[in-house]
């Protein structure tokens, strides 16, 4: 089974802090994704990466950046956390190729105070 | 851009009955669709997918139906069990890449 592991289940940070969310997958997938999930809005794509050191903006990249130094690890960075970034963050991965399902981790619930 | 909508935010069924969860999409060029299940406190779990060259695909106790004419897909769960209680999302692949657009989800409640 695909295993996508997010380093923290719950995280509480303060406004203005730099926040790192970590994600590791063990299936040698090329593609990795970061989403946020908010009630009534569904999952929204923040950033994704299709290879090491490669990244592309998703639908809501403002206020975020990402890093992919190794194939198995994809980090989401909140440069200066704000209260409107309080959310559930979900990481996913998928293999290379067209029409492949994404597999998700269990999420990090981030609260910005 | 693509938009995806689910028809009901909540669906209640009796244990043992069949469940049908619906989803509509907007882009007639969409060619790949996925259903996910999300239990409380967990991430979305892949259930089944279907490509646009198919109308129907079956898994274990689940069937996905795709009607490209009206841009509608449905997830049918046979003999619904308490463990099926969760939020169900459909996701549609956007043309030209690996991005998915997700519906907002239907909460399935199984009554004993």
């Amino acid at each position: 089974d695909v295993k996508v592991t997010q380093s923290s289940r719950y995280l509480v940070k303060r406004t203005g802090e730099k926040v790192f969310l970590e994600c590791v997958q063990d299936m040698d997938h090329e593609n990795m994704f970061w989403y946020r999930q908010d009630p009534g809005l569904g999952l929204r794509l923040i950033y994704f990466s299709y290879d090491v050191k490669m990244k592309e903006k998703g639908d809501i990249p403002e206020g975020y950046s990402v890093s992919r130094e190794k194939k198995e690890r994809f980090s989401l960075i909140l440069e200066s956390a704000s209260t409107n970034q309080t959310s559930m963050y979900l990481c996913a991965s998928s293999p290379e190729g067209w029409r492949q399902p994404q597999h998700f981790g269990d999420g990090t619930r981030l609260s910005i105070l | 851009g693509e938009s995806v909508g689910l028809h009901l935010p909540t669906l209640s069924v009796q244990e043992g009955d069949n469940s049908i969860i619906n989803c509509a999409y907007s882009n007639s060029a969409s060619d790949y669709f996925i259903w996910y299940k999300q239990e409380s406190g967990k991430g979305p779990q892949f259930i089944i997918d279907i490509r646009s060259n198919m109308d129907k695909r079956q898994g274990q106790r689940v069937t996905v139906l795709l009607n490209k004419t009206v841009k509608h897909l449905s997830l049918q769960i046979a003999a619904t069990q308490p463990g099926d209680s969760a939020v169900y999302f459909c996701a549609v692949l956007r043309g030209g890449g690996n991005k998915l657009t997700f519906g907002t989800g239907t909460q399935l409640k199984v009554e004993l």
Side-chain angles (χ1 to χ4, degrees):
Chain A
D1 278 354
V2 175
K3 185 74 173 175
V4 179
T5 303
Q6 295 183 232
S7 56
S8 304
R9 292 301 307 274
Y10 301 94
L11 208 53
V12 180
K13 296 292 182 180
R14 295 204 174 274
T15 302
E17 282 192 69
K18 191 170 185 176
V19 181
F20 294 84
L21 302 183
E22 306 287 344
C23 175
V24 176
Q25 50 94 4
D26 67 357
M27 286 302 293
D28 202 36
H29 285 172
E30 281 72 19
N31 302 313
M32 296 188 75
F33 307 82
W34 275 107
Y35 294 87
R36 61 179 285 176
Q37 184 177 32
D38 300 289
L41 297 177
L43 276 74
R44 293 180 291 166
L45 180 64
I46 305 172
Y47 266 98
F48 70 101
S49 168
Y50 51 89
D51 202 350
V52 175
K53 297 191 185 296
M54 306 301 288
K55 61 184 179 183
E56 284 198 25
K57 294 180 180 179
D59 301 314
I60 51 166
E62 296 78 18
Y64 303 94
S65 63
V66 290
S67 173
R68 192 158 179 211
E69 297 296 319
K70 294 184 178 182
K71 189 175 186 179
E72 68 271 18
R73 187 179 297 271
F74 192 34
S75 303
L76 179 69
I77 303 156
L78 285 65
E79 298 290 345
S80 177
S82 63
T83 54
N84 63 10
Q85 293 178 309
T86 291
S87 187
M88 170 68 85
Y89 289 87
L90 290 162
C91 176
S93 72
S94 70
E96 186 180 27
W98 197 258
R99 305 186 194 120
Q100 298 285 347
Q102 295 176 21
H103 299 272
F104 286 83
D106 281 336
T108 295
R109 186 163 292 282
L110 176 64
S111 296
I112 307 296
L113 305 179
Chain B
E2 176 75 75
S3 67
V4 177
L6 278 155
H7 294 181
L8 289 173
T10 303
L11 176 66
S12 293
V13 299
Q14 294 288 323
E15 182 181 5
D17 287 352
N18 296 335
S19 303
I20 300 176
I21 301 170
N22 296 302
C23 185
Y25 61 97
S26 63
N27 188 349
S28 58
S30 299
D31 63 2
Y32 179 62
F33 309 86
I34 308 173
W35 281 101
Y36 287 95
K37 172 187 181 183
Q38 187 173 24
E39 297 174 276
S40 180
K42 294 188 176 181
Q45 176 187 1
F46 169 77
I47 303 173
I48 192 167
D49 58 359
I50 188 168
R51 301 185 180 188
S52 59
N53 61 350
M54 303 174 70
D55 297 323
K56 179 180 179 179
R57 191 171 186 212
Q58 290 184 288
Q60 188 175 11
R61 278 201 309 120
V62 295
T63 301
V64 56
L65 298 178
L66 176 62
N67 185 329
K68 296 180 287 294
T69 302
V70 295
K71 292 180 282 188
H72 179 274
L73 69 157
S74 65
L75 177 71
Q76 300 179 2
I77 304 173
T80 311
Q81 302 170 358
D84 295 325
S85 294
V87 177
Y88 290 82
F89 300 91
C90 66
V92 179
L93 185 69
R94 304 182 210 178
N98 293 310
K99 298 180 188 178
L100 294 172
T101 298
F102 288 82
T104 52
T106 291
Q107 173 79 57
L108 177 65
K109 297 182 179 180
V110 181
E111 298 170 349
L112 303 178

